[in-house]
């Protein structure tokens, strides 16, 4: 189930950051920035938010978003802007850091409000069902009192 408000927020955030960094600082065309934004939003939503975030939590999902954004932007820049003099790594790294900071805010913004649903945002290992045994290792010793007599 695709949540349209999350996807729209991610797309607008991604497109805004990509426009500010790629189009203004690195002179990438607006059409190429739009294409990179669409691809990055789709990949980031399905891999980062649908697969990693529910299983690993916000911190791991944000780190994965950083790597994912860097790889996707780097590949898309190499395909769309084939120039040996263009700083692909610098543009991809700065855009990925900006998008990751925005993703942290999006993860907190759309975090479930009730406490029962917070479990999907952090990893909880399944219970292993271990059990223990206990036994007496020494036989019970009968205490002798004053009135007890020993056979001599």
């Amino acid at each position: 189930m695709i949540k349209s408000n999350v996807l729209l927020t991610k797309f607008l955030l991604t497109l805004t950051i990509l426009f500010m960094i790629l189009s203004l600082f690195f002179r990438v065309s607006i059409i190429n920035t739009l294409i990179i934004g669409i691809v990055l939003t789709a990949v980031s939503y399905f891999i980062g938010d649908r697969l990693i975030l529910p299983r690993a939590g916000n911190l791991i999902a944000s780190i994965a978003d950083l790597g994912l954004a860097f790889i996707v932007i780097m590949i898309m820049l190499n395909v769309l802007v084939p120039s040996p003099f263009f700083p692909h790594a610098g543009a991809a790294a700065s855009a990925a850091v900006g998008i990751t900071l925005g993703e942290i805010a999006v993860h907190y913004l759309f975090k479930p409000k009730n406490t029962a649903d917070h479990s999907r945002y952090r990893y909880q290992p399944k219970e292993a069902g271990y059990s223990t045994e206990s036994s007496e290792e020494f036989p019970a010793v009968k205490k002798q009192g004053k009135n007890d007599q020993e056979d001599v």
Side-chain angles (χ1 to χ4, degrees):
M1 180 173 110
I2 296 177
K3 296 182 179 179
S4 61
N5 55 354
V6 175
L7 198 57
L8 181 66
T9 304
K10 284 178 71 70
F11 176 69
L12 292 176
L13 171 87
T14 301
L15 194 61
T16 303
I17 292 172
L18 285 176
F19 176 74
M20 287 190 310
I21 293 173
L22 295 181
S23 293
L24 296 180
F25 292 123
F26 293 99
R27 305 264 186 229
V28 176
S29 71
I30 295 175
I31 298 298
N32 289 343
T33 303
L34 181 65
I35 293 169
I36 293 170
I38 291 170
V39 171
L40 182 60
T41 300
V43 170
S44 174
Y45 178 74
F46 287 110
I47 292 176
D49 291 348
R50 301 288 287 173
L51 292 177
I52 298 172
L53 183 62
R55 290 175 177 85
N58 192 13
L59 178 66
I60 302 298
S62 298
I63 293 170
D65 279 336
L66 176 68
L68 193 65
F70 178 75
I71 290 170
V72 169
I73 294 169
M74 189 76 168
I75 290 170
M76 296 295 293
L77 282 175
N78 283 326
V79 169
L80 297 173
V81 186
S83 171
F85 302 109
F86 185 78
H88 295 290
S94 57
V97 167
I99 289 171
T100 301
L101 294 175
E103 285 289 329
I104 292 171
V106 169
H107 292 167
Y108 280 115
L109 181 67
F110 290 105
K111 191 175 183 178
K113 302 296 185 245
N114 58 359
T115 56
D117 203 16
H118 282 268
S119 62
R120 67 176 231 192
Y121 282 96
R122 70 184 123 86
Y123 176 72
Q124 293 179 343
K126 304 240 187 247
E127 291 184 24
Y130 296 121
S131 61
T132 59
E133 283 185 27
S134 63
S135 66
E136 294 181 15
E137 296 194 17
F138 300 105
V141 177
K142 186 175 181 183
K143 292 185 179 181
Q144 295 180 351
K146 291 184 195 178
N147 296 336
D148 294 337
Q149 295 189 2
E150 296 180 306
D151 293 331
V152 184

